[in-house]
Amino acid sequence: GFIDSQVQSVLDRLPPDKGENLQLPLPEVKYQCDFYYDPVVGRGEYNATKWILNNTNKSDKFVADIFGAELIMGMTTRVSTEGGDWANAPDPVSMMTHTNDIYKTDDAGYAHDLAKLEKADYVFVPYRGLYTGWWLPKEEVNYTKFDDTRYFRPVFADDNVTIYRVL
């Protein structure tokens, strides 16, 4: 509301001939901000929080990107490898790197070892681009490694997310 009123106050001061054909948002603003136009987390991710509350322990830890982790922590108080006060924990760059590698690697065993190193019980796997401290486009996320039942077991799936138990 505040931002809208500020924008409107600027628009109100434009000469009439300058504001008639003005298309908002301006193309250069939209180009720079497209990331913010869509919801960051999907409905399935939101729905997953109910499952997390009902099926996990308060002490369970999740591998999640920053957006998923903030959702998980905000809705369930479970902790994650990222999000919230994780940046105050010892060696946050290592946690970001491990989280990024867990999603990106083709090697299920390596992803499992990193999840265990971070003492994670679950991996939260949304089907969208991820922000692990670095932008990781959806096309660079290797989803198939989580199907390796020697290391991971699916425990929840809905719309755009699957949660895997780290074995």
Side-chain angles (χ1 to χ4, degrees), residues 46 49-50 52-53 69-78:
Y46 178 76
T49 62
K50 183 177 181 181
I52 292 168
L53 275 172
E70 294 288 344
L71 174 71
I72 292 166
M73 287 186 288
M75 299 297 289
T76 72
T77 70
R78 302 325 188 250

Side-chain angles (χ1 to χ4, degrees), residues 51 122-123 127 146-149 151-157 162-167:
W51 181 88
Y122 297 93
V123 183
Y127 302 103
F146 297 110
D147 295 330
D148 190 328
T149 57
Y151 303 108
F152 304 100
R153 182 176 39 119
V155 292
F156 176 86
T162 302
I163 298 174
Y164 295 88
R165 177 82 170 151
V166 179
L167 303 177

Side-chain angles (χ1 to χ4, degrees), residues 140-151:
E140 293 183 24
V141 178
N142 180 309
Y143 296 99
T144 59
K145 73 176 148 287
F146 297 110
D147 295 330
D148 190 328
T149 57
R150 294 174 296 168
Y151 303 108

